Amino acid sequence: GENVEQHPSTLSVQEGDSAVIKCTYSDSASNYFPWYKQELGKGPQLIIDIRSNVGEKKDQRIAVTLNKTAKHFSLHITETQPEDSAVYFCAASIQGYQKVTFGTGTKLQVIP
Amino acid sequence: GAVVSQHPSWVICKSGTSVKIECRSLDFQATTMFWYRQFPKQSLMLMATSNEGSKATYEQGVEKDKFLINHASLTLSTLTVTSAHPEDSSFYICSAGTGGPSTDTQYFGPGTRLTVL
C-alpha cells in the first residue's frame, strides 16, 4: 500500500518568513495530493490540492509543487502569519478511489 | 459548500456502554464516507470506508464488531463504538466525498472527542 513520509515534524518560523513542508510517497499510481491544515481540537481543513498532470499550483500565499519522477511534493507558505500556526498534513491517493493516505504531520509555529 | 458535520462534538461515557457518533454531509450527497481515528499528536488512521447502502470496508486491525458503521443515506453515516473501554478514548473524525474520477476531494467533519471512563 501507499506510504507517505513528511518532514519536518515541527517547524518554527518568524512571522513574515516562508515555511516549506516536504512529503514523499511510495506508490507511483498515486495522482492526487491534498494538503490539510488541522487546528487544535478540530477536523482537518483542505487548503490546497494538486493532481499529477500539474507541476505547481498556487493560491495566494500557499503553493504546492509536485515532482512525479522523484515522487515528492511540497507545500510552500509565504509571508507567514500567526494564524498559520497549526498542524499540516500532506496526503496521497489514487484519483477516483478516494482512499487517502496521510503523512505524519508537521506542527508549524509562527512566532510573532 | 461541502460542509460535513459531526454529532456530538464530545462525549464522556462509562466503560461497557455504547456510543453512537453521527456524520452528516450538509450540502452535498456523499457516496462514500470515511471514519478516522486520531490519537494525540499523531496522524489520522483510517478505520473504515462506508458506501451508501452497502457494508463498510474495514482496515486491517479494526474490529468490525466493535466499531459498527451504518451508511443509511447519502447524507448520513453513523459510527457506534460498542462496549467502549478506556483504550477506545480518542478523537474520531469522519470525512465525505462526492465520488467520481475527478471529484475525489474529501471534506472532513469537526471531529468527536470520546472519553471512556
Side-chain angles (χ1 to χ4, degrees):
Chain A
E2 175 67 279
N3 181 49
V4 179
E5 295 188 356
Q6 183 172 347
H7 299 281
S9 57
T10 60
L11 179 60
S12 292
V13 299
Q14 292 289 331
E15 182 178 358
D17 288 349
S18 296
V20 180
I21 302 171
K22 298 182 179 182
C23 291
T24 60
Y25 61 99
S26 61
D27 190 345
S28 57
S30 291
N31 53 12
Y32 174 62
F33 308 92
W35 284 88
Y36 292 90
K37 175 184 180 181
Q38 186 178 28
E39 296 177 342
L40 190 63
K42 298 183 179 180
Q45 177 188 7
L46 178 70
I47 56 172
I48 196 169
D49 56 13
I50 191 167
R51 300 182 191 277
S52 61
N53 58 345
V54 177
E56 183 175 358
K57 184 177 179 180
K58 189 174 182 180
D59 183 4
Q60 299 182 337
R61 297 186 296 109
I62 296 174
V64 59
T65 59
L66 171 65
N67 183 327
K68 282 216 71 178
T69 303
K71 289 191 278 189
H72 65 71
F73 55 115
S74 301
L75 177 71
H76 304 251
I77 306 175
T78 59
E79 301 173 23
T80 54
Q81 302 167 2
E83 51 265 38
D84 293 330
S85 297
V87 177
Y88 291 81
F89 291 97
C90 63
S93 73
I94 299 174
Q95 198 165 325
Y97 288 90
Q98 297 196 20
K99 182 176 176 179
V100 173
T101 301
F102 283 85
T104 49
T106 297
K107 183 176 181 180
L108 173 63
Q109 181 183 20
V110 179
I111 304 168
Chain B
V3 178
V4 177
S5 70
Q6 276 183 246
H7 178 81
S9 56
W10 59 271
V11 57
I12 301 173
C13 69
K14 293 182 178 180
S15 184
T17 61
S18 294
V19 174
K20 179 184 285 188
I21 302 170
E22 292 186 350
C23 176
R24 293 181 185 271
S25 56
L26 299 185
D27 51 2
F28 67 101
Q29 292 186 328
T31 55
T32 307
M33 288 185 171
F34 302 85
W35 287 95
Y36 295 84
R37 184 174 183 177
Q38 187 179 35
F39 290 106
K41 299 183 179 181
Q42 293 190 22
S43 189
L44 287 78
M45 182 191 78
L46 180 65
M47 298 175 65
T49 303
S50 72
N51 293 292
E52 185 265 339
S54 62
K55 290 184 178 180
T57 302
Y58 291 81
E59 295 299 301
Q60 190 173 9
V62 178
E63 300 176 60
K64 59 180 66 177
D65 293 332
K66 182 166 187 62
F67 299 100
L68 302 178
I69 292 172
N70 186 302
H71 193 154
S73 75
L74 286 172
T75 60
L76 173 65
S77 176
T78 60
L79 168 68
T80 301
V81 183
T82 62
S83 187
H85 292 285
E87 56 265 31
D88 298 324
S89 298
S90 189
F91 193 51
Y92 292 88
I93 310 171
C94 72
S95 71
T98 55
S102 60
T103 57
D104 51 3
T105 301
Q106 286 190 36
Y107 301 94
F108 284 82
T112 297
R113 174 75 59 192
L114 170 63
T115 301
V116 184
L117 302 177

